[in-house]
Amino acid sequence: MIVRRTKVVATLGPACSTPERIEALILAGMDVARLNFSHGTADDHRARARMVREIAARHGRYVALMGDLQGPKIRIARFADKRVTLDEGAAFTLSRTYPLDAGNVNIVGIDYPDLTTDCRPGDELLLDDGRIVLRVDEAVGDALHTTVVIGGELSDNKGINRRGGGLSAPALTDKDREDIRVAASIGMDFVAVSFPRYGRDIEQARRLVRAAGSSAWLIAKIERAEAVADDEALNDIICASDGVMVARGDLGVEVGDAELVGIQKRIIRSARSRNKLVITATQMMESMIASPMPTRAEVSDVSNAVLDYTDAVMLSAESASGRYPVAAVQAMARVCLGAEKHPTSRSSHHRLGETFERRDETIALSAMYAANHFPGIKAIVSLTESGHTPLIMSRIRSSVPIFAFSRHDATLYRMALIRGVQAVFFDPDAQTLERLPDAVIAELVRHKAVEQGDWIILTHGDFHAGTGGTNSMTLWRVPGNAATD
């Protein structure tokens, strides 16, 4: 049985709000449901989260929930006629005092009062993900006077970026603080933080998440130019988080398309080397918003992220509001499986020549080395409290499946985002040490992961030792009487 190792994150929205459609997404391969707090109400998110949990449980699946905070998205206000067409060379003003619903071809309001002090003459502002480009001529009082460099149609509430970054908006807004409380009440497994500039932004979000009573892992969305300005800035954010998202929309606008691919690879490499999760996102199958098939370029984009060993690839509008959400998940899963057949997905140089800092890290990496070099090993089992040991294991390239056996639902849901890891409910306290091999093997047989004569690796700690206690690795062989109906 071939099991896909790269996970699929699908954004829920108007196109997938019924039980039937959510069930279809789960059966198509959705591992993580993303709830985008930039859209919809708290009740919308609660209803969709409840459906995901109930339907996934019926199918014996652990599908995780991710709440994605809006962050300080800087936007223009609204036009009196909903949209205008800006001509190249025309003058256009952004004003923080102009009425927010009366924009026209000459002027529009803005919702970010510091934009006029953050910008200088000569700066380029990119609107609507870079489709419109304005050059700042001067800042006078409450207004920025600009010239249209690249024109086109501009509609209400489109985002604003400055080329090269540098806008001073804080990472967490009042709306984000309220949405964190909503995420905690729903039981989100992950909270994604938009536009962090420093590690301390993630630390602040973590304090708020914990104060709200949630144990969710924090995902830093890398989308500001400042976040990738140098290795020190990037690693500061990575180390403060549990994982990162390569959010290529705003990031690509700020750093430029030409630099984006190299930066994506650097983010993935840096995060994995620090035992952090990585999600690659934005426009991965954009054409499937309106088409039942991806383009060859999109297939290559997803495949290259898989070959770089991202943990997950993400669908945004493709699943949230597109015409073919289920087909998009199916296509994403199919492409991931195809890319994982490439030999590079089984060859690893991770942490070679480095010393290890923790005993659980030492055991985890030793287990993966044994699995990749000892013939006959068909499964790796980690008895885990927090999920940290299987996370470390998954940083090693391998074709051997990793099974996270845990008694904690929160841990099992987290595993839905970790590459190559499958979650299995298992309570070690229900077993004696002597019965443990039989119980573990029985679960693997039930999941059709092993057969008679196969080898497995088990890692665990002293029972009842709690989190961080992994200190043992053993090899077992599946006996001849292990097969079941």
Side-chain angles (χ1 to χ4, degrees):
M1 180 178 65
I2 299 175
V3 178
R4 173 172 43 84
R5 301 179 67 81
T6 310
K7 304 303 179 70
V8 173
V9 181
T11 304
L12 302 187
C16 46
S17 291
T18 65
E20 295 77 16
R21 186 58 61 85
I22 287 176
E23 182 172 40
L25 291 179
I26 290 171
L27 295 177
M30 177 176 72
D31 298 293
V32 180
R34 172 180 175 250
L35 303 175
N36 185 359
F37 284 106
S38 295
H39 306 284
T41 66
D43 287 341
D44 291 335
H45 300 313
R46 286 192 183 94
R48 289 168 184 153
R50 183 170 57 251
M51 284 188 280
V52 170
R53 289 289 202 229
E54 292 174 355
I55 295 168
R58 286 206 304 268
H59 289 280
R61 291 276 308 280
Y62 288 96
V63 176
L65 298 172
M66 176 187 295
D68 195 329
L69 304 179
Q70 177 176 296
K73 184 73 173 180
I74 301 167
R75 301 177 185 273
I76 61 170
R78 298 178 299 280
F79 296 97
D81 296 325
K82 303 301 181 184
R83 64 189 69 243
V84 298
T85 299
L86 301 183
D87 295 327
E88 181 180 334
F92 190 67
T93 298
L94 305 172
S95 170
R96 64 185 190 183
T97 58
Y98 195 76
L100 296 180
D101 58 356
N104 56 54
V105 73
N106 300 309
I107 187 170
V108 72
I110 52 177
D111 64 359
Y112 175 56
D114 291 334
L115 187 65
T116 54
T117 56
D118 283 349
C119 294
R120 299 288 181 272
D123 286 350
E124 284 191 336
L125 297 178
L126 302 103
L127 282 61
D128 193 12
D129 288 337
R131 294 178 177 88
I132 303 289
V133 180
L134 309 176
R135 184 184 65 248
V136 176
D137 297 324
E138 62 176 342
V140 179
D142 294 330
L144 280 180
H145 299 285
T146 75
T147 298
V148 179
V149 177
I150 298 177
E153 187 177 272
L154 182 63
S155 57
D156 294 348
N157 300 316
K158 294 304 182 184
I160 306 172
N161 297 84
R162 188 174 76 171
R163 193 181 299 281
L167 298 181
S168 59
L172 293 170
T173 66
D174 290 341
K175 180 183 186 320
D176 295 331
R177 290 177 170 83
E178 176 58 31
D179 287 340
I180 284 173
R181 289 188 283 271
V182 173
S185 71
I186 291 173
M188 295 290 181
D189 306 295
F190 301 93
V191 171
V193 180
S194 297
F195 301 101
R197 286 187 292 171
Y198 312 105
R200 62 176 179 266
D201 295 331
I202 303 301
E203 292 163 358
Q204 180 188 12
R206 191 183 300 278
R207 288 193 294 271
L208 293 171
V209 168
R210 297 295 176 261
S214 171
S215 61
W217 282 10
L218 276 292
I219 304 297
K221 296 173 66 177
I222 308 298
E223 46 195 340
R224 277 180 159 165
E226 299 96 314
V228 295
D230 51 47
D231 288 343
E232 182 179 0
L234 176 60
N235 293 336
D236 179 46
I237 294 175
I238 290 173
C239 291
S241 69
D242 299 297
V244 298
M245 181 190 295
V246 190
R248 303 180 304 178
D250 286 284
L251 181 62
V253 169
E254 293 206 358
V255 304
D257 291 340
E259 304 293 330
L260 186 58
V261 172
I263 289 172
Q264 172 179 315
K265 290 178 178 292
R266 178 159 66 96
I267 295 169
I268 295 174
R269 184 173 61 250
S270 297
R272 289 185 54 79
S273 70
R274 288 164 177 80
N275 296 327
K276 306 293 184 175
L277 294 164
V278 192
I279 305 166
T280 304
T282 314
Q283 297 180 328
M284 300 213 80
M285 290 191 165
E286 182 89 348
S287 71
M288 292 195 72
I289 294 173
S291 169
M293 291 291 291
T295 66
R296 294 294 180 265
E298 290 165 343
V299 169
S300 294
D301 182 32
V302 173
S303 296
N304 275 299
V306 172
L307 292 175
D308 285 339
Y309 234 62
T310 190
D311 285 276
V313 286
M314 193 176 98
L315 297 166
S316 299
E318 301 96 328
S319 57
S321 57
R323 293 174 59 189
Y324 304 97
V326 177
V329 172
Q330 290 171 333
M332 187 78 92
R334 182 175 66 248
V335 171
C336 290
L337 274 172
E340 288 167 5
K341 294 178 182 178
H342 195 276
T344 59
S345 66
R346 303 180 183 91
S347 176
S348 183
H349 300 284
H350 178 71
R351 303 294 299 276
L352 286 179
E354 296 183 23
T355 56
F356 305 145
E357 298 178 356
R358 298 166 43 142
R359 65 177 181 176
D360 55 350
E361 183 179 53
T362 303
I363 293 296
L365 296 177
S366 298
M368 295 307 298
Y369 187 86
N372 283 347
H373 291 269
F374 185 72
I377 291 177
K378 295 299 174 62
I380 304 155
V381 176
S382 170
L383 299 188
T384 182
E385 294 286 296
S386 68
H388 189 67
T389 298
L391 171 63
I392 298 172
M393 289 176 172
S394 68
R395 305 306 86 182
I396 297 286
R397 293 175 181 258
S398 177
S399 59
V400 181
I402 301 165
F403 290 86
F405 279 35
S406 183
R407 55 190 164 183
H408 303 297
D409 281 345
T411 298
L412 295 169
Y413 282 117
R414 287 176 194 145
M415 300 302 101
L417 190 53
I418 302 179
R419 183 179 177 122
V421 177
Q422 301 177 51
V424 177
F425 179 82
F426 186 86
D427 186 357
D429 285 349
Q431 309 296 330
T432 64
L433 190 58
E434 293 74 18
R435 287 282 303 163
L436 184 64
D438 291 339
V440 168
I441 289 172
E443 281 294 329
L444 291 175
V445 170
R446 188 170 70 85
H447 284 81
K448 297 181 173 59
V450 296
E451 299 176 347
Q452 174 184 343
D454 290 340
W455 287 90
I456 69 169
I457 292 176
L458 175 74
T459 67
H460 59 85
D462 298 328
F463 296 119
H464 315 293
T467 301
T470 298
N471 60 9
S472 301
M473 179 182 82
T474 55
L475 277 72
W476 292 330
R477 196 166 196 176
V478 179
N481 60 354
T484 67
D485 295 334

